Amino acid sequence: MNNPTIKRVAVLGAGVMGAQIAAHLANARVPVVLFDLAAKDGDPDAIVKKALDSLKKLKPAPLATRNVLPYIDIANYDQHLARLGECDLVIEAIAERLDWKKELYAKIVPHLAPSAILASNTSGLSLAALSAVMPESIRPRFCGIHFFNPPRYMHLVELIAAPDTQAVLLDGLETWLTMRLGKGVVRALDTPNFIANRIGVFSMLAVMHHTEAFGLGFDEVDALTGPLIGRPKSATYRTADVVGLDTLAHVVRTMQEALPEDPWHAHFQIPLWLSMLIEKGALGQKVGAGIYRKLGKEIQVLDLKLRDYRPSGGTVAEEVAAILKNRNPAERFAQLRASQHPQARFLWAIFRDLFHYAACHLAAIADNARDVDLALRWGFGWQLGPFETWQAAGWQAIAEAISDDIAAGKAMSTAPLPAWVSDGRGGVHAPEGSWSARRQGYVPRSALPVYRRQLFPERLVGEGGADWSTAGETLFANEGVRLWRLPEVDAGIGILSVISKNHTLGSEVLDGIQAAVRTAEEKLDGLVIWHPAPFAVGANLKQVLGAIQSGQWGLLEATVEKFQRTSQALKYAQLPVVAAVEGMALGGGCEFLMHCAKRVLALESYVGLVEAGVGLIPAGGGCKEFAVRAAQWAARSATPAEVFDYLQPVFQTIAMAKVAESALEAIDYGFAQPTDTVRFNAKEILHVALKEARALADAGFVPPLPARDIPVAGRTGIASFEMMLVNMKEGAMISAHDYRVAKAAAVALCGGEVETGCRVDEEWLLTIERREFMQLLRTPETQARIAHMMETGKPLRN
C-alpha cells in the first residue's frame, strides 16, 4: 500500500483551525508539534498554551479524549524552528493572507527535513502562487491539504496539487488521510475556493439572492433549506452564523477578486445587511449574535422589515410541506415548478441556479461530477450532492426547465448550459463511473489499494454497487436479524446484522441473535456483528410499554432474562464474536458489545448504558459484567477481595447515564477494552473486524469459562454508595426516584445485600440485576419516564 511514513507532524498556526487539526492528529496518536508566534510578553509559548487550553472547552469536542493532549508539543517560531527537522509532514494553517504565508515559508523552509512534505490548509488561495516563492527542491513535496471545520467531525479533506507536486506524494497522502485520519479525500483542482466552498458558498449566495427576491424571512428560509431538502439542521443562515459572518464574507471576497470572468460575478458580493452586521461586530455564533441571537432562553432572528430581532419561528406552508413529502424526486421538482407559492418558487429557484452553476463550472473545478457531489456531501453535510439531486429528479426534464428559465431571464446568469448536459444522457453517474467534462468521458473510482478496505463505500445516485442489506449469502434470517457472509472476502466468517427498525432490540432480535450464534457455531469459524450506524439504540421501548399497559409482567421478566441469555450467548460462543461498532451503541447495544470477544470501533462511536434515563438499570448483563470486571481488576492488586474502589467510577457512569463521546472515551469508561481496535474511517470497520475474527479463529480461539468465585462489595459497598446518594438528594441534586434508580444500580453492582467479600457466580449477579430491574419497572415513576421518552425522545426527571 502506498502509505508515506509520517511519524510526526508540525502544524503551523494555533488558531481555531490549526489547533483543531493538531487535536485530530493527536486523536489518531500522531505526535504533533504545534507552532505559533512567540508571545510579546511573559511566557513565549503563551499563545499555543492558550489554544490547547481552549481545546478542552470547545463543543463539539475536538479531543476524542483528553488523554491524547500529551501527544501535542508546544513550540514557537522564535525558539523552536529546529524541531521542524523532526517532522515528516508540516501543515501550514495560518490566516488566509498570501503575503503572510509567503513570509512564513521563507522562515521555515531552511529547517525542513530533506524528505518532509509541506502542505497548506488554505481554503482557496492559489497553490501555484504559494509554491512560486519556494526553492525548486521543495516544490515537488508541496501541496494543499484543506481540512473542513471542525476537523474531527467533517469528513472532507480536499487534496490539491501545486504545479510541481509529485503524483506519488498525492497518492500517499490520500492513503494516509483516508486510513489514518478517517477522511474522505477529494482531489480538487487549483482554482479559487476549490470545490466544496466554490459550490457551497455559491449556493448560499443564491439562497440570499432569492430570499430577498421572494420576500422571505431568514428563519422561514432555514425551515425550508434544512432537513426537508436533505441539508443539515443548521440550514443556511444558521450555518452562516456557525461558520462566522466574517469568514463567509472573506470567502465571497476571494471569489469576487479571483473570478472576474465568472458569468455569475455580479452576485459575488454579500448583501448590505450582512455587511452592516459585520461592521457592528455581530459575527455569528462565536460572539453570541449574528443573523440569530439568543436572549435568555429565546432564540431570536434578524427581521429586515423591523430592522430588529424578533422571536424565531419560521414555518413551511402546508402546500409546500406536502410537496416536499413526495418521495418521488421527479414529481417533487415538477410540483415545485408548477406551484405559485413563494416558498415553492424559492426552492425551485435555488436548485435551478445551483444546478446551472455546477454544470457550467464542472470542467474548471473538478476532474468529475463524483468529486463535486462527494465534496458537498462531506464538506457541507448535504444528503445528496447537486449532480445526483439533479439526476434523481430526471436529468433531461430538469435540463430543459433550466434552459427555459435562462431564456426567460429568470436565472441568475444568462450563460447557456454546456453542450454535454443535453446530449441525451440520463445523468452524470453510472456504474462505469462519473462524467468528466474535462475528459469528455466517464471516470471510474480511484484504484488506490486503501479503498479495497471499504467493502461498502458510500454510493451516489445512479452509480450502482452492492447494497449491504442484500449482499453476500444469507445463512439465517428472521424479522430482527440477518446472518450472512461474503464468500469472496472470507467464507468462514459470518456477519450478523440487526435489521429491526432503528436497530432497536426487541424479542425478534434477541431470538434471532441466539439462533444466529447457534448457526455460526455449526457452520463458521468466527462471527462479526455489524451494520451501518447506529449499532443499536437499546431495547424496544414500544414493546416494553405495551407489555406494561397490558400487565404482562411474566412476559417482561422472561424478556429481560432472554436479553441476559443473549449477552451470555455472545460471550461464551464457541467461536470468536467481534463487534464492529459505528454510531450509537446505547443500553442493550452497549451490553452486547461488552460481551463480545473483541470490538472494532469507529472513532465516532457513542457508547453508553443509558437506562437510568428511563428509570431503569442495565439488565442485559451490563451490571453483572462490570461486577465481574471489578473483581478481575482487583485480583491484580495487592488486595484482591476489595472491589469497591473499582466499582465507584462504574457506578457514576451508570447512575448518570453517561455516554462516551468517542471510541477512545468508550475505552476510558470501560465499555471497551484498551486492546480493542479503533479505526478512524468508519467505512473500514467491517473489513478490519472480519480480519480480527479470522485472526482469533486462526490463533485457536477458546471461549472463556463462566466466572465463579467472584468477590462482591456487598452491604458495605451499597451503604457507601447510599451515603453519596443521600447527600445528593438532600442537596436537591437528584429526585427521590433518581435515588431509587441509583440505589438499584448499586445493589446490582455490589452483588446484593450480602456480606462484603462474599463470593458469588455470574448467575447470582444476573438474578440480582434482573430483580432490581423488574422492581423499578413496576414503579409509576419509571413507567412515566418510559412513556415520556416514547412521546418526546427526551428523558423525564420526576
Side-chain angles (χ1 to χ4, degrees):
M1 186 174 289
N2 199 354
N3 194 2
T5 301
I6 298 178
K7 297 179 180 178
R8 185 180 296 274
V9 177
V11 176
L12 311 180
V16 173
M17 197 64 184
Q20 290 195 71
I21 291 171
H24 192 59
L25 289 162
N27 290 336
R29 300 298 199 270
V30 178
V32 188
V33 186
L34 181 58
F35 280 83
D36 210 304
L37 298 168
K40 295 180 180 178
D41 301 306
D43 183 354
D45 293 326
I47 293 174
V48 177
K49 288 179 178 178
K50 183 179 179 181
L52 294 185
D53 191 52
S54 295
L55 289 176
K56 304 172 189 176
K57 305 169 188 175
L58 283 176
K59 294 292 180 183
L63 299 166
T65 168
R66 291 192 181 187
N67 296 339
V68 303
L69 263 178
Y71 288 105
I72 305 176
D73 290 341
I74 296 168
N76 67 72
Y77 302 127
D78 288 356
Q79 298 175 305
H80 305 120
L81 284 178
R83 295 207 60 184
L84 292 171
E86 308 166 6
C87 301
D88 308 295
L89 170 63
V90 177
I91 301 173
E92 169 268 304
I94 67 170
E96 292 288 87
R97 285 273 301 268
L98 193 62
D99 53 340
W100 289 0
K101 290 179 186 288
K102 289 181 176 180
E103 182 181 342
L104 180 61
Y105 295 164
K107 184 184 296 185
I108 66 165
V109 161
H111 300 276
L112 298 179
S115 60
I117 301 166
L118 176 60
S120 175
N121 183 57
T122 177
S123 60
L125 295 180
S126 165
L127 272 296
L130 291 173
S131 66
V133 302
M134 298 178 184
E136 289 188 12
S137 60
I138 299 292
R139 293 176 190 175
R141 293 179 280 115
F142 174 70
C143 65
I145 300 179
H146 179 211
F147 290 86
F148 276 66
N149 191 24
R152 171 183 162 186
Y153 300 95
M154 296 306 293
H155 191 53
L156 178 65
V157 166
E158 290 176 318
L159 191 60
I160 312 102
D164 300 310
T165 308
Q166 294 175 338
V168 68
L169 177 140
L170 293 174
D171 289 347
L173 280 174
E174 182 169 351
T175 297
W176 184 78
L177 288 163
T178 300
M179 188 164 66
R180 188 67 181 270
L181 299 190
K183 295 304 175 185
V185 176
V186 167
R187 301 278 186 104
L189 302 180
D190 188 13
T191 56
N193 292 340
F194 310 129
I195 297 174
N197 279 339
R198 179 77 174 269
I199 301 295
V201 172
F202 171 80
S203 178
M204 295 180 76
L205 290 172
V207 169
M208 291 179 182
H209 172 78
H210 291 300
T211 298
E212 181 179 355
F214 290 100
L216 305 181
F218 299 139
D219 51 345
E220 186 180 5
V221 168
D222 276 355
L224 288 164
T225 60
L228 283 177
I229 62 168
R231 305 281 172 83
K233 289 181 180 180
S234 56
T236 301
Y237 291 105
R238 287 186 189 277
T239 295
D241 270 354
V242 171
V243 169
L245 302 186
D246 54 338
T247 302
L248 175 62
H250 171 78
V251 176
V252 173
R253 189 160 51 248
T254 300
M255 294 173 71
Q256 187 180 53
E257 295 172 355
L259 299 165
E261 303 301 321
D262 192 298
W264 282 262
H265 185 265
H267 297 285
F268 294 168
Q269 53 187 323
I270 60 172
L272 180 60
W273 59 264
L274 187 54
S275 295
M276 292 175 65
L277 283 176
I278 294 171
E279 288 174 12
K280 288 170 57 178
L283 305 179
Q285 192 176 77
K286 59 189 172 185
V287 297
I291 299 168
Y292 290 88
R293 73 178 183 186
K294 191 172 183 180
L295 194 62
K297 293 185 178 181
E298 184 179 70
I299 303 296
Q300 298 186 331
V301 64
L302 181 65
D303 189 314
L304 296 183
K305 294 177 183 176
L306 298 176
R307 297 187 180 182
D308 200 357
Y309 290 90
R310 59 166 172 78
S312 175
T315 57
V316 177
E318 290 185 12
E319 172 189 334
V320 178
I323 293 173
L324 295 177
K325 287 178 182 177
N326 190 329
R327 295 188 177 183
N328 184 308
E331 292 177 4
R332 188 164 62 243
F333 272 87
Q335 289 167 357
L336 288 175
R337 294 198 303 273
S339 173
Q340 292 304 305
H341 195 286
Q343 291 184 355
R345 293 169 60 206
F346 163 83
L347 286 173
W348 162 245
I350 65 171
F351 276 110
R352 174 199 64 214
D353 290 316
L354 169 64
F355 298 159
H356 186 192
Y357 189 82
C360 287
H361 290 292
L362 174 59
I365 67 172
D367 177 66
N368 59 74
R370 177 178 53 249
D371 289 346
V372 173
D373 282 343
L374 290 178
L376 271 299
R377 278 194 188 197
W378 297 340
F380 277 71
W382 294 4
Q383 195 174 74
L384 297 177
F387 287 116
E388 54 182 337
T389 302
W390 181 350
Q391 183 164 336
W395 186 267
Q396 287 301 333
I398 295 293
E400 289 171 9
I402 294 172
S403 293
D404 290 345
D405 278 6
I406 294 170
K410 296 178 181 179
M412 290 171 67
S413 168
T414 59
L417 284 171
W420 61 263
V421 169
S422 303
D423 63 0
R425 72 184 58 257
V428 292
H429 302 303
E432 62 266 32
S434 294
W435 178 257
S436 171
R438 294 167 62 83
R439 306 192 209 182
Q440 289 293 297
Y442 285 89
V443 177
R445 285 199 172 223
S446 170
L448 285 177
V450 70
Y451 293 114
R452 296 175 199 159
R453 299 167 61 87
Q454 300 183 15
L455 300 181
F456 296 97
E458 192 170 334
R459 294 292 181 182
L460 300 168
V461 170
E463 189 178 20
D467 182 339
W468 71 272
S469 64
T470 56
E473 175 191 352
T474 299
L475 302 176
F476 166 83
N478 71 354
E479 292 182 358
V481 306
R482 175 182 178 235
L483 174 64
W484 53 293
R485 63 182 169 188
L486 290 168
E488 67 275 18
V489 177
D490 191 329
I493 306 297
I495 303 167
L496 178 58
S497 299
V498 175
I499 57 174
S500 60
K501 186 177 181 180
N502 297 326
H503 298 166
T504 56
L505 306 176
S507 291
E508 73 285 3
V509 174
L510 303 179
D511 291 335
I513 292 175
Q514 291 191 36
V517 169
R518 291 193 296 269
T519 302
E521 288 175 329
E522 294 173 6
K523 299 182 177 181
L524 299 168
D525 303 325
L527 182 62
V528 170
I529 304 177
W530 172 86
H531 38 260
F535 180 77
V537 294
N540 187 326
L541 291 179
K542 185 177 181 180
Q543 289 182 1
V544 173
L545 191 59
I548 290 172
Q549 291 169 344
S550 57
Q552 296 178 300
W553 299 106
L555 174 64
L556 282 165
E557 184 159 6
T559 301
V560 175
E561 185 170 7
K562 187 190 292 184
F563 223 122
Q564 294 175 330
R565 298 302 158 211
T566 304
S567 294
Q568 294 292 86
L570 295 173
K571 183 174 183 178
Y572 296 114
Q574 297 301 303
L575 77 173
V577 181
V578 177
V581 183
E582 173 190 359
M584 291 184 292
L586 306 178
C590 176
E591 289 173 299
F592 283 169
L593 71 88
M594 288 175 65
H595 283 78
C596 291
K598 187 160 188 179
R599 287 140 294 276
V600 176
L601 303 103
L603 177 70
E604 300 308 330
S605 296
Y606 308 104
V607 184
L609 296 173
V610 296
E611 288 83 354
V614 289
L616 295 167
I617 64 169
C623 291
K624 175 272 303 180
E625 193 65 14
F626 269 127
V628 170
R629 292 182 186 182
Q632 292 170 342
W633 295 328
R636 304 186 190 109
S637 71
T639 53
E642 297 180 11
V643 299
F644 181 76
D645 287 347
Y646 300 97
L647 290 174
Q648 286 193 77
V650 171
F651 172 73
Q652 291 178 3
T653 298
I654 291 175
M656 297 175 67
K658 287 184 179 179
V659 175
E661 295 185 358
S662 72
L664 300 181
E665 201 164 75
I667 294 171
D668 294 342
Y669 285 174
F671 300 133
Q673 301 296 316
T675 53
D676 288 334
T677 301
V678 175
R679 297 306 309 163
F680 277 49
N681 197 314
K683 294 299 179 185
E684 295 184 350
I685 63 170
L686 176 57
H687 164 86
V688 174
L690 291 170
K691 296 292 186 184
E692 295 275 17
R694 168 52 62 196
L696 287 170
D698 288 350
F701 173 81
V702 176
L705 293 173
R708 301 176 181 175
D709 203 33
I710 306 162
V712 294
R715 294 190 186 94
T716 302
I718 296 169
S720 298
F721 285 134
E722 277 198 283
M723 288 174 60
M724 180 194 315
L725 294 172
V726 167
N727 291 334
M728 294 177 72
K729 182 182 173 184
E730 290 180 351
M733 299 170 65
I734 60 174
S735 69
H737 196 58
D738 289 331
Y739 179 100
R740 184 171 185 174
V741 173
K743 184 184 176 183
V747 172
L749 288 169
C750 293
E753 296 282 355
V754 296
E755 291 298 324
T756 298
C758 178
R759 306 244 170 191
V760 302
D761 60 16
E762 285 191 67
E763 285 303 314
W764 173 273
L765 293 169
L766 289 170
T767 301
I768 299 294
E769 175 186 276
R770 188 167 64 249
R771 182 196 72 197
E772 294 297 320
F773 180 94
M774 289 304 301
Q775 288 177 353
L776 287 170
L777 200 58
R778 288 177 177 271
T779 64
E781 293 86 354
T782 286
Q783 293 171 22
R785 289 188 181 190
I786 294 172
H788 188 268
M789 179 64 75
M790 288 293 298
E791 292 171 8
T792 68
K794 298 178 182 179
L796 171 67
R797 290 301 177 198
N798 56 355

